[in-house]
Amino acid sequence: MGERSGKQKYAAEASDGEEVDDLFLLKTFEVKQKKDGSPYIWAEIADVTGTLSCFIWGVQGCGDTVMETASSLRPGEVYRVRGFAKTYNGSVQISVNDGISNLAEPVPPTDVDPDDYVSSPVKDLDLKGGVLRMAGEISDQVLGQMVLEVISSVDGFFIKPAAKGRHHEYRGGLAEHTLETARIALAACDATRTDADRDLVIAGALLHDIGKAFCFEEQGLGFAARPEYDLVGHVTMGVSYIAPFAKKRLPAEKAAHLLHILQSHHGPHGEVSCQTPEAWTVHLADLTSATLREAADDQADLVPGSGKRNGWRSGGPVWRFG
C-alpha cells in the first residue's frame, strides 16, 4: 500500500496474517522492555469500529529509535500504522517493525475525518441526567447541594475518561463509572443490614473519582493524561479539591467522614484503609464497576469460543462463549 490520504480499512476488519497500512487514533502507550532489556512500545490504536493492541518493536538493535519515537508520540493524534496483524490469545494485534519510521509525526489534520475515529459506547446515554437524579437521592439537602456544586464546578466531568487504559478509558467514561459506582453502592445499602449512612454513601460514590477530571486534557481527537495523573494521583487531587467545600458546608464530623470515604476508596491498595461500612461500600462498588468493565472489554476482544490466560485490562483469565 503506497502513500495516500484518508482512512481505508478499519480496526474491526483486521485479520490474522495480513499487512496493515492505515490511519489509526493513538489512545495510549507505554514503553516496556523485552527479555534482553531492549525497549519496545505497547500502544492502543483505534478507530470508530474498535481498538487494537499495537506492539512497536522497531528494527532489531535500534533501541534509540524506539525511545525517540516514544518521546514524540501524542495520544489523541492520528498516525499512519504500518505493520502486520496476527491473532494471539484469541485477539488481533498489530506488530510494527520498520514501520516505526511512519510514527515520527502524526497525520496532518487535513487528512483526518474525525467521524472515522471518535466514538464512545456511552454517547447516547443520559449520564448527566443519571448523575443528577442520583444526587437527588441524597436526603440531606446541604450535602446534596454541595455534591451538585462540586460536580458542576469541575470542567469536563461529563466528557472526560476515567483512566488512561483498563476501564472506562473513553469519552464520557468518568461519568459512566461514577454513575455505576453510585448505583452499585446504593443497591448494597438496600441489600445489607449495615445501617450505613445512605447519604454519605451516595455522596462518596458520586465524588470518589472527581480528581480524575483534573488529570486529563483534550488533545487532538481524544484526551491525554496530564503529569498530575502519575505524579500526584487522582485521589489526592480530588480530596484537595473537595475538602474546602466539605469543611465550609458540613458539620465537622460529616466532612471528615466524607473525606475518609474519598481517601480510602482504593481499599487495601490505597494509602488509607477503609474504616467504616460507608467507606467499604464505596470501595467495593468502585471495584465492581471497574472490574466488570475490564472483564467485559477483554471478552469483547476475543473471537467466540476462545479465551486467554491474561486479559490485559482485567489481569486474569477470560473466556468468550460462542
Side-chain angles (χ1 to χ4, degrees), residues 57-271:
W57 309 107
V59 179
Q60 188 172 5
C62 295
D64 289 346
T65 302
V66 172
M67 297 305 296
E68 290 172 5
T69 300
S71 68
S72 66
L73 289 176
R74 290 169 51 87
E77 300 286 357
V78 173
Y79 289 84
R80 179 184 173 193
V81 177
R82 183 166 59 88
F84 61 93
K86 68 175 181 178
T87 299
Y88 180 74
N89 278 346
S91 58
V92 176
Q93 59 188 37
I94 309 300
S95 288
V96 175
N97 297 111
D98 60 343
I100 193 171
S101 61
N102 298 109
L103 300 173
E105 294 183 0
V107 175
T110 52
D111 292 345
V112 174
D113 181 349
D115 290 340
D116 283 331
Y117 306 96
V118 179
S119 68
S120 171
V122 300
K123 64 180 180 180
D124 295 324
L125 298 182
D126 183 17
L127 295 175
K128 186 172 184 179
V131 168
L132 296 181
R133 285 190 293 273
M134 185 59 67
E137 294 282 334
I138 300 174
S139 60
D140 181 332
Q141 292 187 357
V142 174
L143 178 60
Q145 286 299 315
M146 190 208 78
V147 169
L148 291 174
E149 183 178 355
V150 169
I151 290 175
S152 64
S153 68
V154 174
D155 183 50
F157 176 82
F158 291 101
I159 63 170
K160 291 185 177 181
K164 287 195 294 186
R166 297 177 68 90
H167 75 92
H168 301 86
E169 81 282 13
Y170 38 77
R171 179 177 289 266
L174 174 57
E176 183 187 40
H177 171 58
T178 295
L179 183 55
E180 287 178 357
T181 300
R183 286 171 171 168
I184 294 167
L186 185 56
C189 287
D190 293 339
T192 59
R193 190 172 51 81
T194 60
D195 294 326
D197 185 323
R198 289 165 53 93
D199 285 350
L200 278 174
V201 167
I202 298 170
L206 290 176
L207 299 178
H208 81 283
D209 268 354
I210 202 79
K212 289 182 175 179
F214 302 105
C215 292
F216 291 94
E217 58 187 3
E218 288 195 80
Q219 181 172 285
L221 299 179
F223 292 90
R226 297 173 56 85
E228 291 87 345
Y229 185 96
D230 294 309
L231 297 178
V232 180
H234 73 274
V235 176
T236 297
M237 296 188 72
V239 171
S240 298
Y241 184 74
I242 292 168
F245 290 88
K247 292 176 179 179
K248 181 179 180 180
R249 290 164 174 74
L250 304 177
E253 185 172 284
K254 182 169 285 190
H257 195 172
L258 176 62
L259 294 176
H260 168 67
I261 292 171
L262 305 180
Q263 188 74 57
S264 65
H265 79 263
H266 283 170
H269 305 290
E271 181 182 1

